[in-house]
Amino acid sequence: NFRVLEYSHEDKVTIMCATWNVNAKSPTETDNLKSWLLPENTRAPDIYAITLQEIVDLNVLNIMLKNSPTVATSAFWVRTFSKLLNSIDYYKVLLDKSMVGIILVIFVKASLHSCIGDVKYSLTYTGNYGTTGNKGGVAVSMRIHDSPVCFVGAHFHANRDNVAQRNLDYHLICNNTEWVSVGPKYVHDDNALFLFPSASDVAIFENEGTEGGGVPPGPSRSRLNSPSDIANSGASPSSAPSTTAS
């Protein structure tokens, strides 16, 4: 539509997606969270989408119990990130959702907060073939101005030879996502999808010909200039997240 510029304009929005399997541990003094979320010589993004895996031990009790201790641990991490990010700029928590060991929290600059609507979330179990939440995906969908965007923090099954199960995890999340609306309702149509499992998941989310190498353990991040970047990148479910900022 060549006339689209007559009645619309483009705004640049920067988004950083960060993922970390914390192995049921709290951050220590040696964990420099600021250098992870704001690498040197980079500007603070407009939106942070941060997901953590294994925020609690994935034992039978924690898997079967709902809310506790996941809620308390999630609240701790949200406070930790809020304190850090607000030392950089003024950020608001748009939404945080957790499921057993997974948490996804979205921070938005206060100046952009009023431009976001149609907020939804979904919790999708993939553990034990879709019955438990020790594996699965936590998703948050929204509209930034008129652009639909979806973030999915995921935790797939482990072990290098378990590719089929990880592919099943991905398809279960895609096929069984049921949205709960927390904002004004619009037609749901995500043009930009950000899927970020843990770095250890991605390192072995390849075909059987992959040996060695992969993504090192620890926190990872991916910085995108706009939702269209990923839409135009041709990224597939088996693509590893970037660990560099641009």
Side-chain angles (χ1 to χ4, degrees), residues 20-26 52-77 98-103 133-135 155:
W20 187 9
N21 187 318
V22 298
N23 194 26
K25 294 180 174 62
S26 300
L52 304 177
Q53 300 83 22
E54 297 189 31
I55 62 172
V56 297
D57 286 322
L58 298 183
N59 54 44
V60 174
L61 186 62
N62 286 340
I63 292 172
M64 300 309 295
L65 281 177
K66 292 188 176 181
N67 298 326
S68 182
T70 298
V71 170
T73 309
S74 296
F76 162 78
W77 279 105
S98 57
M99 179 183 73
V100 188
I102 310 170
I103 179 175
N134 56 310
K135 306 293 182 182
H155 194 192

Side-chain angles (χ1 to χ4, degrees), residues 160 202-204 206-216:
R160 181 172 292 277
V202 173
I204 51 181
E206 303 288 347
N207 60 39
E208 58 272 19
T210 302
E211 293 184 5
V215 181

Side-chain angles (χ1 to χ4, degrees), residues 22-39:
V22 298
N23 194 26
K25 294 180 174 62
S26 300
T28 66
E29 292 181 358
T30 59
D31 294 323
N32 193 337
L33 298 180
K34 186 172 183 178
S35 65
W36 172 42
L37 295 176
L38 189 67

Side-chain angles (χ1 to χ4, degrees), residues 125-132 134-136 155-173 201 204-206:
Y125 292 178
T126 67
N128 292 315
Y129 297 96
T131 61
T132 59
N134 56 310
K135 306 293 182 182
H155 194 192
F156 298 142
H157 282 77
N159 299 322
R160 181 172 292 277
D161 59 352
N162 210 5
V163 176
Q165 184 62 59
R166 281 189 292 284
N167 285 329
L168 178 60
D169 289 338
Y170 170 79
H171 289 292
L172 284 173
I173 293 171
D201 288 338
I204 51 181
F205 197 52
E206 303 288 347

Side-chain angles (χ1 to χ4, degrees), residues 91-159:
Y91 287 90
K92 291 185 177 182
V93 178
L94 180 73
L95 192 65
D96 67 276
K97 288 296 173 182
S98 57
M99 179 183 73
V100 188
I102 310 170
I103 179 175
L104 173 61
V105 55
I106 310 296
F107 290 92
V108 178
K109 278 188 177 179
S111 57
L112 186 65
H113 196 270
S114 62
C115 303
I116 294 178
D118 194 20
V119 181
K120 305 181 181 75
Y121 73 90
S122 178
L123 310 178
T124 306
Y125 292 178
T126 67
N128 292 315
Y129 297 96
T131 61
T132 59
N134 56 310
K135 306 293 182 182
V138 178
V140 173
S141 174
M142 69 187 74
R143 282 184 179 270
I144 308 172
H145 296 293
D146 290 320
S147 298
V149 179
C150 180
F151 302 95
V152 184
H155 194 192
F156 298 142
H157 282 77
N159 299 322

